[in-house]
Amino acid sequence: MIVAILILFFTVLFAGWLVRFLPKDNQYFLKILLAFSGAYLFSITILHILPDVLLSTDDPHQVGYYVLAGFFLQLLLELFSEGIEHGHVHKHAHDKNTGYVPFMLLFSLILHSFLEGSILVESGHGQGQGHGHGHDHAPLLGNNFYSVLAGIAIHHIPAAVALMSVLMFRLNSFKKAFAYLFLFAIASPLGILFSNYIILDQLQNTNLFMILSGLVAGNFLHISTTILFETSPDHRFHKNKIIATVAGTLLALASNFV
């Protein structure tokens, strides 16, 4: 678990720090990275998260309600984040609110990131100790833990780059922007700690894991499909984006054999 926390925390900070060295017009770089992350995120949702959440309940049909709720929750969050989750920076290019911290944008990203971290419960962590039925009822992520962790980390790279770009534009200071990026960096780790220590018993012995995973699956489906549609809005062949998309999908498929 400590490995997951460190990976998610430093991935965001490192990606944000790189903004200092990237060209100001980094949209092409972001689009290639987004194509890769979107394909990987979509694939692990279909291959790992949805099968796990369907297996975690005796009534798989109810999972659909939470997936839909997660999909539309993400749509609502993006009213405030304005698409930072999938690399949107251009919407803020003519932002007149320079000097002001976009707190609602930060809050929506932090909530989204916290939910992502909340489903990262290590296989066997606290299971089978005093709860004979816990593991049978909620297998949690099992062997898919690190595949989903990789998906969240990869997804956070373009999000951190986009957020840092917006914060630097707003605050005109790398140090101030980096301080607020820290809030985004700790959100997923806090979600991990929350699930692994505070609500672990409920995750193992109730439908709470199914609810959280369904919400996150819906979030991921919204974000990944939006990314994949936006990478080729004119439906033209873009070699590098196609390569990145195929690479992301193949990596997700390869994780089934690790």
Side-chain angles (χ1 to χ4, degrees):
M1 183 177 63
I2 187 66
V3 173
I5 289 174
L6 292 175
I7 287 174
L8 293 177
F9 178 72
F10 285 108
T11 294
V12 171
L13 292 186
F14 181 69
W17 176 75
L18 282 179
V19 172
R20 196 170 193 173
F21 306 99
L22 292 174
K24 290 185 178 180
D25 185 15
N26 55 29
Q27 287 299 299
Y28 184 75
F29 162 78
L30 270 180
K31 286 179 180 178
I32 298 301
L33 184 57
L34 281 165
F36 177 84
S37 67
Y40 185 87
L41 204 61
F42 179 79
S43 299
I44 63 165
T45 301
I46 300 300
L47 294 172
H48 298 315
I49 299 177
L50 284 176
D52 279 340
V53 69
L54 288 168
L55 289 171
S56 71
T57 177
D58 296 328
D59 183 11
H61 291 89
Q62 64 179 311
V63 172
Y65 295 111
Y66 296 106
V67 174
L68 278 176
F71 187 94
F72 286 105
L73 172 62
Q74 183 58 36
L75 186 64
L76 177 63
L77 290 176
E78 288 186 11
L79 293 176
F80 303 102
S81 69
E82 299 186 22
I84 290 292
E85 297 92 334
H86 34 87
H88 277 183
V89 180
H90 60 272
K91 289 185 178 182
H92 304 268
H94 304 290
D95 198 332
K96 298 180 181 179
N97 295 317
T98 55
Y100 295 94
V101 178
F103 286 111
M104 290 305 297
L105 185 154
L106 274 171
F107 173 77
S108 62
L109 286 177
I110 289 169
L111 177 58
H112 167 76
S113 186
F114 182 88
L115 283 173
E116 289 175 337
S118 71
I119 67 168
L120 290 174
V121 181
E122 284 188 310
S123 178
H125 181 71
Q127 296 183 25
Q129 299 176 6
H131 300 285
H133 59 288
H135 181 69
D136 292 335
H137 181 69
L140 306 182
L141 287 177
N143 295 329
N144 298 325
F145 180 90
Y146 287 102
S147 298
V148 177
L149 169 64
I152 295 173
I154 293 169
H155 159 54
H156 280 182
I157 295 173
V161 170
L163 176 60
M164 191 65 179
S165 299
V166 170
L167 289 172
M168 286 178 65
F169 178 82
R170 283 283 195 96
L171 303 176
N172 198 29
S173 167
F174 179 85
K175 289 184 178 179
K176 290 180 180 178
F178 201 76
Y180 284 104
L181 183 73
F182 181 85
L183 297 176
F184 177 51
I186 64 172
S188 279
L190 287 177
I192 294 175
L193 293 173
F194 180 71
S195 290
N196 282 270
Y197 289 103
I198 297 178
I199 62 167
L200 180 62
D201 186 68
Q202 291 91 329
L203 288 174
Q204 292 172 341
N205 301 301
T206 69
N207 282 329
L208 184 57
F209 174 75
M210 181 266 290
I211 294 171
L212 285 175
S213 297
L215 290 173
V216 172
N219 281 185
F220 283 172
L221 286 175
H222 184 284
I223 292 170
S224 60
T225 51
T226 300
I227 288 172
L228 292 174
F229 287 136
E230 288 182 343
T231 52
S232 298
D234 51 3
H235 302 291
R236 293 180 181 176
F237 180 83
H238 298 278
K239 182 180 71 174
N240 291 336
K241 293 177 187 176
I242 293 295
I243 292 172
T245 301
V246 171
T249 303
L250 290 176
L251 180 61
L253 288 168
S255 69
N256 278 334
F257 304 99
V258 176

